Amino acid sequence: HLGVVYFFYEHPDVMWHWLDLAIVVFGVADTWFIPWLLDEHRQHHIGVRVSLVRLLRITRFLRVLRLVKIYLVEDFRWVESKQFQYLVGGVIFVNAIVIGLETDIKSRNWWYVEQFLLFFFVFELTIRLRREGCTFFTHAEDAPWNWLDFLIVVAGVVDAWL
């Protein structure tokens, strides 16, 4: 009875429950069924199998919808916590050290470190914008620093990802 309520009850979360189920089913199919399907000894119609594999792998985008749901529902109250502020400050400190090290130590691995740091800063900026809305740019005390953060992250994204 609980399963019926979970998937068929008139509640806003029912759609997200179905999405969760689809993510799990397609994930299991992608992990277990596709290798079995692509086994050369199973069938001789490779065209049909490849088409089915591509169709199942396209469904990976459902995972992005799950992240969108979290973004829309969560209030991100934890962004204002001291622990998160310390984390952000620590990442900024590490970023400064990395910039210094990059000038002296040549390595292809710096690109991966930079991508991780930029992703973190985009994540932090995105959740802060979601939490604070337009006041992120207009709050009297923090507005100049928020604008600086915003411009630095946007410049980093344009430089690295566009």
Side-chain angles (χ1 to χ4, degrees):
H1 184 270
L2 180 61
V4 172
V5 171
Y6 191 75
F7 286 105
F8 296 104
Y9 184 66
E10 292 183 23
H11 191 273
D13 286 340
V14 168
M15 178 184 76
W16 298 110
H17 298 318
W18 280 104
L19 178 64
D20 290 342
L21 179 66
I23 290 170
V24 170
V25 167
F26 290 130
V28 167
D30 191 26
T31 304
W32 294 339
F33 181 66
I34 288 175
W36 177 80
L37 187 66
L38 290 178
D39 183 12
E40 293 298 325
H41 303 290
R42 297 281 180 227
Q43 292 182 12
H44 61 278
H45 301 292
I46 194 159
V48 174
R49 289 185 292 170
V50 169
S51 297
L52 185 57
V53 167
R54 288 182 182 153
L55 179 66
L56 284 174
R57 290 201 171 151
I58 287 173
T59 60
R60 290 178 179 180
F61 82 92
L62 293 175
R63 297 173 188 166
V64 174
L65 291 178
R66 183 70 175 141
L67 293 175
V68 169
K69 185 252 184 182
I70 292 170
Y71 182 78
L72 294 175
V73 173
E74 180 69 34
D75 69 352
F76 297 112
R77 201 173 315 158
W78 49 269
V79 171
E80 299 167 359
S81 70
K82 289 285 187 198
Q83 294 87 352
F84 186 73
Q85 296 303 318
Y86 290 143
L87 174 66
V88 171
V91 172
I92 291 169
F93 181 72
V94 167
N95 191 34
I97 291 172
V98 166
I99 290 171
L101 290 174
E102 281 180 314
T103 59
D104 294 332
I105 303 170
K106 302 298 180 199
S107 174
R108 293 181 182 178
N109 295 329
W110 290 125
W111 184 86
Y112 298 104
V113 174
E114 289 175 0
Q115 298 307 306
F116 172 77
L117 291 168
L118 183 57
F119 178 79
F120 177 83
F121 291 129
V122 168
F123 170 75
E124 185 252 346
L125 181 65
T126 303
I127 58 175
R128 287 187 57 201
L129 283 168
R130 170 69 171 94
R131 172 77 177 147
E132 298 175 27
C134 291
T135 61
F136 178 81
F137 296 109
T138 60
H139 188 265
E141 184 178 313
D142 295 330
W145 293 110
N146 290 344
W147 274 104
L148 181 63
D149 288 346
F150 178 77
L151 292 174
I152 289 171
V153 171
V154 167
V157 167
V158 168
D159 182 46
W161 296 345
L162 298 181

